[in-house]
Amino acid sequence: MGKGSVKRAGLFALNYELRIAFRYLFAKRSEGGLSAVAWYSLIGVTLSVATLIVIQAVMIGFRVEFVSKILGANSHLSVYSDSFIKEKRQGLNKELQEIIFEKLKQVDSVINTMPIIMETVMASSSSGNAGVQVFGIQEEDLLKLPLLFNPENTQGDIKKFSDGVAIGSSLARQLGVKVESNIRLVSPSGAKTVFGVTPRAMDFKVSYIFTVGRYDIDSTRIYMPMSEAKTFFNKNNSVDRIDVLVDQPNTIEAISDEINLNLMEVKGNKFVVWDWKQASNSFLSALDIERKAMFVIWSLVVLIAALNIISGLVMMVKNKTQDIAILRTIGFSRSSIMRIFFIAGSLIGVIGTILGVILGCLFSSYLHEIQNLVEFIFGGTIWDPQVRYLTKIPVKLRTNDILSATSIALVISLLITILPSYRAASLNPIEGLRHG
């Protein structure tokens, strides 16, 4: 027999194996086909794969959105005086600022530097009060922060920033103020008298209200013109820190090292460089660990759902004992029998995985619409920004996450069909005919 004949014979056998597997898979229960257990396993695999994809999309979306809010509303790194960090008494005077600016110019990755004053004060109005963080900043520097210059929602004109202060939208609602309203800021570090330090209080007009989409920023942050901040906080010509924007914030560690080396050349002064990854390291690490843990947990759920395939295959093998014996007597080999039942069982996992991927991608893509529908039907909210910091559920579908979920489901589904398929192939045809 030539190679062509062998090849045609192999294709002929495979064609019959596929036809028999499909016939067994979709046969009625009364005809010995797969039972309801198999359909339950199909639904289980579909839902578990879909859930795995949705969980990964939300976890990745949460991290990406959180990082984008950090980079969009904050500097990428900050330079402090060592004494300011340890004792919070001495900031950066005019001379030190000039030295730092000169050193930062030597770093190619630095695209902008900005002096900052930051203090915690009490903000009050006729409708309420709240503890807030006040950032003293120059107007041209404020315009270089993307989420402040182009936030989700705004009220007022940012170009009128020098006429008052800019505050977050959640803080504005809490204080019951709007553009052109006045708020009073009370600083505990006021004037020094013979009786001690007296608090300093001043009224400021709200000229701009922003919504960046991160609750802790929108509810606690106020931006004040630098000249007003120096007067209010009695800073004279000093600032608390120098903030820096870089062109590649994801490589901030290498940039921080380079800046540290440059600042070490300044004799008699010590500086501390604090980047955005250090500031958010614990939170970002917790997100990564949680995402990996959820992937492992839901992979086990996929395994549990797929294990039901074994039950369906075992029942089908028992119902098809006589058929297996007949197939063996007319020339089907053990490997052919094994392939028939392997195909029948694995198809459940393959179909369930495909349906799960489709369902998971659709659910992720329309998650915000589903959230709005659920909240409309049942009332209330299912996403509290005060707890999760972001104003809406973040979702980001990535090809890698879809492929990993698909791979896990397919591998599990294929592996668990091997044992019952092997047992079907090991049946003695004589015993099968006798007991069939």
Side-chain angles (χ1 to χ4, degrees):
M1 184 180 292
K3 293 183 179 180
S5 301
V6 173
K7 186 176 181 180
R8 285 194 297 271
L11 292 174
F12 179 80
L14 181 60
N15 179 49
Y16 265 93
E17 291 166 5
L18 288 171
R19 291 177 63 182
I20 295 171
F22 272 93
R23 184 181 179 88
Y24 284 174
L25 182 62
F26 296 106
K28 297 179 181 178
R29 185 177 181 183
S30 59
E31 298 174 356
L34 289 179
S35 66
V37 175
W39 293 108
Y40 294 151
S41 64
L42 174 66
I43 296 172
V45 171
T46 299
L47 294 179
S48 57
V49 171
T51 305
L52 180 58
I53 290 176
V54 173
I55 287 174
Q56 292 295 298
V58 171
M59 296 300 294
I60 287 295
F62 199 99
R63 192 186 197 284
V64 171
E65 189 74 9
F66 191 82
V67 170
S68 70
K69 300 300 183 185
I70 294 174
L71 300 181
N74 298 283
S75 63
H76 301 151
L77 63 85
S78 301
V79 179
Y80 297 86
S81 167
D82 182 64
S83 59
F84 180 82
I85 292 294
K86 292 180 178 178
E87 305 172 14
K88 202 167 184 179
R89 290 189 305 176
Q90 182 181 355
L92 300 170
N93 58 35
K94 193 69 175 178
E95 181 183 355
L96 288 177
Q97 292 176 50
E98 294 297 332
I99 292 174
I100 293 173
F101 289 147
E102 188 63 31
K103 292 296 181 181
L104 291 175
K105 287 180 181 178
Q106 301 173 12
V107 181
D108 295 334
S109 301
V110 173
I111 59 176
N112 189 59
T113 57
M114 56 186 79
I116 296 291
I117 292 174
M118 188 183 76
E119 294 284 349
T120 301
V121 302
M122 175 68 72
S124 63
S125 69
S126 58
S127 301
N129 53 72
V132 298
Q133 283 186 323
V134 175
F135 286 74
I137 188 172
Q138 297 174 359
E139 182 176 350
E140 60 269 25
D141 292 331
L142 182 69
L143 297 178
K144 293 172 183 175
L145 296 175
L147 287 183
L148 273 300
F149 176 68
N150 187 26
E152 293 182 359
N153 294 294
T154 63
Q155 298 177 42
D157 188 354
I158 194 172
K159 294 180 181 179
K160 296 182 179 180
F161 170 66
S162 58
D163 297 335
V165 294
I167 72 174
S169 57
S170 297
L171 177 60
R173 285 194 298 271
Q174 185 177 351
L175 297 177
V177 298
K178 55 185 179 180
V179 175
E180 300 298 329
S181 298
N182 287 328
I183 60 172
R184 170 160 290 193
L185 300 182
V186 181
S187 171
S189 55
K192 295 182 180 179
T193 67
V194 293
F195 300 103
V197 178
T198 59
R200 184 188 300 269
M202 288 181 64
D203 290 337
F204 295 90
K205 182 175 69 175
V206 176
S207 59
Y208 184 64
I209 298 175
F210 57 84
T211 303
V212 302
R214 210 179 113 181
Y215 184 80
D216 59 331
I217 294 178
D218 293 336
S219 64
T220 63
R221 192 167 293 189
I222 294 178
Y223 289 92
M224 180 185 294
M226 178 61 75
S227 58
E228 298 286 344
K230 285 183 177 181
T231 301
F232 183 60
F233 296 113
N234 197 26
K235 292 288 185 178
N236 298 322
N237 290 322
S238 68
V239 297
D240 293 336
R241 69 190 194 213
I242 302 296
D243 279 3
V244 181
L245 298 179
V246 301
D247 56 0
Q248 296 291 335
N250 288 327
T251 61
I252 195 66
E253 298 95 336
I255 299 172
S256 296
D257 292 341
E258 185 178 356
I259 292 175
N260 266 316
L261 288 175
N262 286 356
L263 293 177
M264 285 177 63
E265 299 174 3
V266 182
K267 296 182 180 179
N269 292 282
K270 294 183 179 179
F271 302 98
V272 175
V273 177
W274 189 253
D275 61 60
W276 72 270
K277 285 190 177 181
Q278 290 174 310
S280 305
N281 181 62
S282 58
F283 187 82
L284 295 177
S285 297
L287 284 179
D288 290 335
I289 293 172
E290 185 177 5
R291 179 175 62 86
K292 293 174 182 177
M294 292 300 292
F295 183 82
V296 172
I297 292 170
W298 277 98
S299 295
L300 294 176
V301 174
V302 174
L303 174 61
I304 294 171
L307 284 174
N308 287 325
I309 298 174
I310 295 180
S311 302
L313 273 181
V314 169
M315 295 177 68
M316 186 171 70
V317 170
K318 183 178 180 181
N319 293 332
K320 296 296 182 180
T321 301
Q322 187 174 18
D323 289 12
I324 295 171
I326 293 173
L327 290 173
R328 288 294 308 279
T329 56
I330 63 175
F332 276 72
S333 64
R334 286 188 174 184
S335 59
S336 295
I337 300 298
M338 184 174 179
R339 281 194 294 269
I340 289 172
F341 287 91
F342 180 81
I343 293 170
S346 60
L347 274 176
I348 299 173
V350 172
I351 295 172
T353 300
I354 294 172
L355 293 176
V357 169
I358 295 172
L359 180 61
C361 292
L362 288 174
F363 195 92
S364 299
S365 300
Y366 294 97
L367 186 58
H368 294 149
E369 289 76 5
I370 295 171
Q371 175 191 351
N372 294 334
L373 178 61
V374 172
E375 291 177 348
F376 175 77
I377 294 174
F378 296 101
T381 178
I382 59 175
W383 181 264
D384 187 359
Q386 298 185 37
V387 177
R388 299 171 177 87
Y389 292 107
L390 302 178
T391 54
K392 60 181 180 181
I393 302 176
V395 180
K396 183 174 178 60
L397 275 173
R398 299 192 310 178
T399 303
N400 289 342
D401 296 325
I402 296 174
L403 291 178
S404 61
T406 303
S407 301
I408 287 290
L410 289 178
V411 169
I412 291 175
S413 300
L414 296 177
L415 287 179
I416 63 174
T417 58
I418 294 176
L419 181 59
S421 300
Y422 176 78
R423 292 188 62 183
S426 301
L427 286 176
N428 190 323
I430 298 176
E431 292 295 324
L433 290 172
R434 179 183 301 170
H435 298 288

